[in-house]
Amino acid sequence: MANSLRSFHSSTSLVSDSAHSRPEKFKLLTSSRSVSFPSQLKHNLSLSGGVESSRILRNVRACNAEMQVDISLSPTVNAVKPSKTVAITDQATALAQAGIPVIRLAAGEPDFDTPAAIAEAAITAIHEGYTRYTPNAGTLELRSAICHKLKEENGLSYAPDQILVSNGAKQSTLQALLAVCSPGDEVIIPGPFYVSYPEMARIAHATPVILPTKISENFLLDPKLLESKLTEKSRLLILCSPSNPTGSVYPKNLLEEIAKIVAKHPRLLVLSDEIYEHIIYSPATHTSFASLPGMQERTLTVNGFSKAFAMTGWRLGYIAGPKHFIAACNKLQSQFTSGACSISQKAGVAALGLGYAGGETGSTMVKAFRERRDFLVKSFGELDGVKISEPQGAFYLFIDVSSYYGSEAKGFGKIENSESLCRYLLDHFQVALVPGDAFGDNNCIRISYAASLATIQAAMERIKKALAVLRPAVPV
C-alpha cells in the first residue's frame, strides 16, 4: 500500500495536462495498459467526494496511461567516449565464446601467467587470513618496497607518504587529473595517445589539447610544437614512455629538452606514465622524467604491476610525487574505492622482490615480446602500402595503413577509415585489432603482440589475405 502511494504521488507530479508537453528527458515507462492500485485506495478515493475526488481520479487515470522518469545523465558522463579497446576486446571475446575462431590482438594484456613466486605469496596471504582492509594509501610494506624500487631503478628518492597505491595505474592517472585540474585548465597530450587520457581530462572538467606527432619521427613529441602550444591555462603534460599505442621510447636528450620548456611554466605539471618501463628493447633505455634536474617537485609518476609482471587482473598500480599532490589523490581515493586489494598488495611486494625489472621472469617475457615484434615488423615491411615505425618498447605495433582507404572489399563495401578496416578484418577474417582513431590517428591501426608467436603468425596470414584483395587507393 505504501509503495503504491509513493508511486502514485511521484507519478502525478510528473503528469502534464497535455501529452505533447512532456519534456524530452522523460521516458515513457509503461504503455496504455493500466497500473493496478489496491481496492482500498480506490474505495478511499470514492469517499473523498466532490471535485477533489474527481481530480484525483483523473490523475490516477493519467498515471495509468503513462508513468515517466527523468533519464537524463550528467553532462560530464555524456561528454565521455567509451573505450574502443574495451569494446573491441569484449566483442572479440563474445565471438570466441560463440565458437568463432577469432584471433584477438586488441587487448594490451601479456599472455604469460603471473610468475609463480607472486602467486604463491598471494596464496600464503589468503591462508594466513590477510583479507582485511588495508590503509587507504596502501600497506606500509608495499609503499616502502615501491620507494626502494624507485630509488634503485629510477634514481628517485621518495618517502612512503609520497606513494599512493591504487586499483591499477588507470585509477592513479584519473585521480591525479582530478586532484590538480580546475575547470578550464588544459591537459597537453601528445598524439597518438592512450585512449583514456582525453576522456580523463574531460572528467576532470579540463580541456584536452592534442599535439600530433609523425610516424616519420617515431611518434615523438616535437619540443618546438610543445613550446608553441603552452599557455597560462596549461596545467598538465602527459608523457607515456614506452608508449601505448606506438611503442615509442623517449630518449633522455629529448626529455631534457622538454624539461627545459616545462621549467618556464610555473603552473605546468607533468604526469609520467611509466607502466611499460621494463618492456623495452635495447639499445633503447628508460629515463624517468622526475629524475631530470628540477622535475621531481612537479612530476607525478604513475606505474603499476600489470604489464611487467603479467598481473593485469590483480588491479594494482601506484603514483609517486610531491606529498601535497599525493595527499590530494589519497583524499579522493578515500571517497572512491578506499585501499587496493590486500591480497594483491602482498603479491606486489613479492613482485618487487624478484629483482630489477622482474628478474629472470621479466627478461624472459621481454625476449619473447622482442621476437614477436621482429616478426611483425619484417612481415609488414614486405607489404605494399604499409608504413612502420619500429617500436622500441611496450608490445604494440602502430602501422599506417591509410593507403588502403578508398578500396572496395567484396562482400563488405568500401574501406573508408581505420574503423572500417578493422571491422573488415574482424568480420571477414576473424582478426581483432584496434582502429587508430581511438588513439587520435585515423591513418593507423594498433596490433598488440601480447600473444604467442604462433598466434601472431596465424593472424599475419589472415591479414595478408585480407589486404591482398585490396588495392592501395593512394600511392605510397
Side-chain angles (χ1 to χ4, degrees), residues 112 276-282 307-308 357-374 392-395 449:
F112 297 94
Y276 295 97
E277 67 166 322
H278 290 315
I279 303 176
I280 197 166
Y281 314 117
S282 61
K307 314 300 181 180
E360 185 178 346
T361 56
S363 62
T364 298
M365 283 195 288
V366 172
K367 182 180 179 181
F369 288 138
R370 183 167 195 152
E371 183 182 17
R372 300 165 189 179
R373 178 204 66 169
D374 292 345
Q392 300 301 303
F395 37 67
Y449 49 89

Side-chain angles (χ1 to χ4, degrees), residues 317-382:
Y318 60 88
I319 185 170
K323 185 176 179 180
H324 171 71
F325 295 126
I326 298 305
C329 294
N330 192 10
K331 180 169 63 173
L332 285 170
Q333 184 164 298
S334 73
Q335 299 291 4
F336 285 175
T337 62
S338 298
C341 170
S342 59
I343 306 303
S344 295
Q345 291 187 65
K346 280 291 187 181
V349 172
L352 295 178
L354 294 176
Y356 180 84
E360 185 178 346
T361 56
S363 62
T364 298
M365 283 195 288
V366 172
K367 182 180 179 181
F369 288 138
R370 183 167 195 152
E371 183 182 17
R372 300 165 189 179
R373 178 204 66 169
D374 292 345
F375 169 78
L376 285 173
V377 168
K378 180 178 183 298
S379 298
F380 279 110
E382 296 169 350

Side-chain angles (χ1 to χ4, degrees), residues 280-303:
I280 197 166
Y281 314 117
S282 61
T285 57
H286 174 73
T287 299
S288 287
F289 192 82
S291 69
L292 301 177
M295 290 298 108
Q296 184 163 341
E297 61 264 28
R298 60 164 67 198
T299 301
L300 300 165
T301 301
V302 171
N303 209 323

Side-chain angles (χ1 to χ4, degrees), residues 39-367:
S39 58
Q40 184 60 44
L41 174 61
K42 294 181 180 178
H43 175 69
N44 290 342
L45 289 173
S46 68
L47 295 179
S48 300
V51 176
E52 180 63 16
S53 177
S54 298
R55 186 186 67 78
I56 294 175
L57 285 171
R58 282 199 304 272
N59 284 335
V60 170
R61 293 188 187 104
C63 180
N64 285 347
E66 55 182 56
M67 293 180 65
Q68 300 163 333
V69 64
D70 184 345
I71 62 165
S72 60
L73 299 175
S74 157
T76 300
V77 172
N78 283 331
V80 174
K81 300 175 184 176
S83 169
K84 281 193 177 181
T85 54
V86 172
I88 291 171
T89 300
D90 289 348
Q91 182 182 358
T93 300
L95 290 171
Q97 291 173 345
I100 298 172
V102 176
I103 297 178
R104 291 171 279 180
L105 301 181
E109 182 170 38
D111 57 310
F112 297 94
D113 291 334
T114 300
I118 299 174
E120 288 169 4
I123 292 169
T124 298
I126 294 172
H127 287 319
E128 292 179 352
Y130 196 76
T131 56
R132 305 294 184 184
Y133 291 137
T134 71
N136 185 68
T139 64
L140 181 59
E141 179 186 30
L142 179 55
R143 285 182 288 136
S144 297
I146 291 170
C147 288
H148 178 76
K149 177 260 184 240
L150 291 171
K151 178 67 175 178
E152 296 298 314
E153 297 183 1
N154 306 96
L156 299 171
S157 295
Y158 288 105
D161 62 1
Q162 293 178 286
I163 308 294
L164 175 63
V165 177
S166 302
N167 299 280
K170 184 181 285 189
Q171 180 180 357
S172 295
T173 302
L174 177 57
Q175 290 177 167
L177 267 73
L178 289 169
V180 305
C181 291
S182 300
D185 280 347
E186 294 178 346
V187 177
I188 313 300
I189 306 171
F193 46 74
Y194 174 52
V195 294
S196 295
Y197 292 154
E199 307 314 314
M200 289 178 176
R202 293 185 180 100
I203 291 171
H205 299 291
T207 301
V209 177
I210 310 302
L211 303 187
T213 63
K214 300 176 181 178
I215 192 171
S216 60
E217 297 174 357
N218 297 318
F219 296 112
L220 296 173
L221 177 62
D222 181 352
K224 293 180 180 178
L225 177 62
L226 171 64
E227 191 162 27
S228 70
K229 296 297 182 180
L230 293 177
T231 71
E232 67 280 358
K233 295 181 180 180
S234 302
R235 180 56 171 159
L236 191 68
L237 167 64
I238 300 181
L239 295 175
C240 181
S241 179
S243 166
N244 175 8
T246 67
S248 299
V249 174
Y250 278 81
K252 185 176 182 179
N253 63 336
L254 180 54
L255 290 177
E256 288 173 338
E257 288 186 57
I258 293 172
K260 290 178 182 178
I261 295 169
V262 170
K264 299 176 185 178
H265 297 265
R267 286 198 73 234
L268 186 61
L269 304 174
V270 176
L271 188 146
S272 183
D273 185 342
E274 302 182 8
I275 190 71
Y276 295 97
E277 67 166 322
H278 290 315
I279 303 176
I280 197 166
Y281 314 117
S282 61
T285 57
H286 174 73
T287 299
S288 287
F289 192 82
S291 69
L292 301 177
M295 290 298 108
Q296 184 163 341
E297 61 264 28
R298 60 164 67 198
T299 301
L300 300 165
T301 301
V302 171
N303 209 323
F305 298 80
S306 295
K307 314 300 181 180
F309 301 103
M311 292 174 65
T312 51
W314 297 77
R315 307 314 304 134
L316 192 65
Y318 60 88
I319 185 170
K323 185 176 179 180
H324 171 71
F325 295 126
I326 298 305
C329 294
N330 192 10
K331 180 169 63 173
L332 285 170
Q333 184 164 298
S334 73
Q335 299 291 4
F336 285 175
T337 62
S338 298
C341 170
S342 59
I343 306 303
S344 295
Q345 291 187 65
K346 280 291 187 181
V349 172
L352 295 178
L354 294 176
Y356 180 84
E360 185 178 346
T361 56
S363 62
T364 298
M365 283 195 288
V366 172
K367 182 180 179 181

